[in-house]
Amino acid sequence: MISRRNRVAALCGIVSIVAACTAPQDQTQRDQSGETITGRHGAAGIGDDYYPEAGNGGYDVENYAVTVRYDAESGHLTGDTTVTARAEHDLSRFNLDLRGFTVSSVEVNGEAAEFKRTGDAELVITPAEPVREGDVLETRVRYEGKPLPGERGQLGGNGWYRTASGGAFVLGEPESASYWFPVNEHPRDKATFTLTASVPEGWTAVSIGTSDEPVTQDGWTTTTWTETNPIPSYLTLFAVDKFTVETGQLPDGTPVRNVFAPGAEEARQDAEYTEEVIAFLESRFGDYPANTAGGIYLDTPTGFALETQGTPTYPPDTTVDLLVHELAHQWYGNSVSIQSWADICLSECFASYAAWLWSEEKDGTDLNANYRNQIELWRDDAAYWSRPLYDMGAGNEFDAVYSKGPLAVHALRLRIGDEAFDRLLREWPAEYANGNASWEQFEEFTERIAGEELDAFFEDWFRGTELPAKEHLHPDLYSR
């Protein structure tokens, strides 16, 4: 048996091997000065064991500057995106992710580049000359066409939706950005984001980040949004409809933008809780980490809500508990993002437990009693306990995190005590703010806060596939 800490080293070794195997051999070329550069191709995958082709290797994106023009009547999109990145090694070729569209040109650092399409989403780019390790890699891609409709995902359709009112939006996890702009589509590569969108006069476009005032000229209305926090690409959004947009601000001046699609007007009563929910979550998690607040309320069934940065996106029939969940993601998932998809409990388990905390605070719910009831309800259900919360296997990421997840987090609270648990809730998102973290790091961080070794507890609750042992259920509350 390999120990937890040795598993970290082993995993790093495996990732290195995978990267080495997927990257083609080095190629020797000369730059304009005649100096020899040995560059290699960026890997067609960022190194996530679950999804070997997800994202890309060889560079680290710093910013996406996306410009689109979308005709709501024809459904045609014209895009011009510049991806600013930094080369992680001498780079002779690299990939971006883009689904559909006709690509008309690609430039790298101002020079025309060769490109080809492979697979479902790979845009393979060969710059005119290799890019040196550490240098800026500025890639401009021009493209157009009708966006592809999203395929079914684990939670719902990931990708492009058309609405009954004639509008459209692009939404989904783990993929959605590649359905409308070229991207390194994995949460491990976080970047800032700017969108300049033009839509026909009479339509309204919305996105994430702070926005300028729309300008209408020659029948087109153009708006720019800027998100200065580095974020995973699935937290971006582009939506067009006959929206009603209401603005305000939090007490600290953070802008609030609530957007209501035609038919979603009843969501206003839930949207009114936004300020109260954020204030409550700040009392548990620390200062609100996003630059904007509010929400986008749709009238199109998607099967899920999504924590799009600062302004989560909600399906019809939303609830206050759903607001709590999606706004909690601004700390757990958005600011502190997962390293690999096996780590998804770091995002979903804690956002789900936030709704428990809200119920405890606002409704006086006895969470210990709720915990006991849940244990009794699922005690003899082998299928329920068979689904691990960490390293659950590709395609199973969302199987247990919403039901077993908050139960496990409450068990952790009971195990380490309220004082240590309260510290954990605040110090974890502060420690890894605007970055990425793995489940292994969370376990080690928790042990430091608690001042004790918790390997057996984590093994039982988060990796286990059976009802946890009695001592890990908490014998003071559960003696059966």
Side-chain angles (χ1 to χ4, degrees):
M1 171 181 275
I2 188 168
S3 71
R4 173 158 60 82
R5 286 161 180 81
N6 286 337
R7 281 198 300 270
V8 177
L11 177 61
C12 292
I14 291 169
V15 170
S16 298
I17 292 169
V18 170
C21 291
T22 56
Q25 295 181 346
D26 294 352
Q27 291 192 345
T28 300
Q29 295 176 268
R30 296 182 183 275
D31 64 13
Q32 290 180 336
S33 66
E35 184 175 350
T36 298
I37 300 176
T38 301
R40 69 177 188 266
H41 300 170
I46 205 166
D48 191 322
D49 289 346
Y50 280 17
Y51 303 101
E53 295 183 0
N56 305 284
Y59 59 90
D60 177 37
V61 178
E62 297 176 350
N63 176 259
Y64 296 102
V66 182
T67 299
V68 297
R69 175 175 284 210
Y70 179 72
D71 188 330
E73 299 296 336
S74 67
H76 188 89
L77 183 144
T78 301
D80 185 346
T81 292
T82 297
V83 182
T84 302
R86 197 164 293 277
E88 294 182 323
H89 53 73
D90 290 348
L91 200 59
S92 59
R93 194 180 80 183
F94 60 95
N95 292 15
L96 289 169
D97 302 311
L98 182 66
R99 300 175 189 274
F101 300 109
T102 298
V103 176
S104 59
S105 68
V106 176
E107 296 176 6
V108 176
N109 294 339
E111 300 262 351
E114 295 181 4
F115 62 92
K116 65 180 179 179
R117 310 294 294 274
T118 64
D120 294 332
E122 299 294 333
L123 175 61
V124 184
I125 300 169
T126 303
E129 61 181 68
V131 179
R132 289 184 177 278
E133 178 181 355
D135 282 358
V136 170
L137 176 66
E138 191 170 272
T139 306
R140 183 179 184 182
V141 182
R142 296 179 178 91
Y143 53 100
E144 64 177 321
K146 287 189 176 182
L148 296 176
E151 299 178 354
R152 293 294 297 176
Q154 292 186 58
L155 299 179
N158 294 331
W160 197 266
Y161 293 76
R162 294 301 300 265
T163 71
S165 56
F169 60 91
V170 59
L171 191 69
E173 181 186 9
E175 298 100 12
S176 60
S178 59
Y179 285 91
W180 65 293
F181 67 92
V183 59
N184 193 15
E185 197 160 40
H186 192 281
R188 191 180 301 175
D189 194 357
K190 301 173 72 167
T192 59
F193 173 80
T194 301
L195 169 65
T196 299
S198 298
V199 296
E201 186 175 359
W203 294 87
T204 300
V206 296
S207 189
I208 63 168
T210 57
S211 63
D212 61 11
E213 287 295 322
V215 175
T216 300
Q217 186 175 2
D218 299 329
W220 291 85
T221 299
T222 301
T223 312
T224 296
W225 294 264
T226 302
E227 177 52 61
T228 59
N229 286 323
I231 59 169
S233 61
Y234 72 85
L235 299 180
T236 62
L237 170 82
F238 176 52
V240 181
D241 216 317
K242 301 296 179 69
F243 290 120
T244 299
V245 181
E246 299 177 357
T247 61
Q249 61 181 31
L250 299 178
D252 65 358
T254 299
V256 176
R257 181 172 61 248
N258 285 315
V259 180
F260 303 95
E265 290 78 10
E266 291 184 0
R268 281 186 174 83
Q269 60 187 357
D270 295 313
E272 290 176 357
Y273 281 89
T274 298
E275 182 178 329
E276 182 180 355
V277 169
I278 289 175
F280 167 72
L281 293 173
E282 284 188 311
S283 74
R284 303 309 301 262
F285 301 156
D287 292 343
Y288 182 62
N291 297 325
T292 57
I296 299 166
Y297 298 87
L298 303 172
D299 192 43
T300 301
T302 57
F304 62 97
L306 189 64
E307 59 272 20
T308 44
Q309 179 72 9
T311 50
T313 305
Y314 300 99
D317 302 320
T318 190
T319 64
V320 176
D321 278 354
L322 194 55
L323 262 72
V324 174
H325 180 107
E326 302 306 330
L327 288 168
H329 274 308
Q330 306 306 310
W331 289 263
Y332 285 84
N334 293 20
S335 179
V336 183
S337 302
I338 58 174
Q339 181 73 5
S340 297
W341 285 107
D343 305 316
I344 193 63
C345 187
L346 288 175
S347 175
E348 298 297 347
C349 294
F350 286 86
S352 297
Y353 191 70
W356 282 39
L357 295 172
W358 172 266
S359 180
E360 179 182 44
E361 173 76 14
K362 301 299 180 178
D363 302 325
T365 301
D366 183 341
L367 295 189
N368 289 339
N370 186 54
Y371 172 82
R372 286 194 301 266
N373 291 339
Q374 291 290 311
I375 295 291
E376 286 298 325
L377 176 65
W378 300 109
R379 184 178 185 274
D380 298 320
D381 190 331
Y384 178 88
W385 299 107
S386 70
R387 302 172 298 172
L389 292 167
Y390 169 67
D391 200 12
M392 63 290 291
N396 304 315
E397 291 87 346
F398 299 99
D399 285 356
V401 288
Y402 302 114
S403 56
K404 185 180 173 184
L407 198 65
V409 174
H410 192 72
L412 176 62
R413 177 180 176 180
L414 293 172
R415 179 67 178 80
I416 67 177
D418 278 356
E419 182 177 352
F421 185 74
D422 289 346
R423 283 186 58 200
L424 178 65
L425 290 184
R426 296 178 68 88
E427 294 182 23
W428 172 257
E431 179 74 12
Y432 291 94
N434 292 321
N436 296 79
S438 70
W439 182 258
E440 300 279 1
Q441 289 173 304
F442 176 78
E443 290 187 355
E444 294 178 1
F445 189 87
T446 302
E447 289 181 341
R448 291 200 300 271
I449 293 287
E452 59 178 312
E453 182 270 321
L454 296 168
D455 281 10
F457 174 88
F458 282 122
E459 190 70 32
D460 241 11
W461 266 107
F462 292 91
R463 293 183 174 84
T465 57
E466 297 178 349
L467 176 73
K470 180 179 176 180
E471 62 267 25
H472 298 143
L473 291 173
H474 200 279
D476 292 344
L477 293 177
Y478 185 79
S479 58
R480 182 171 175 178

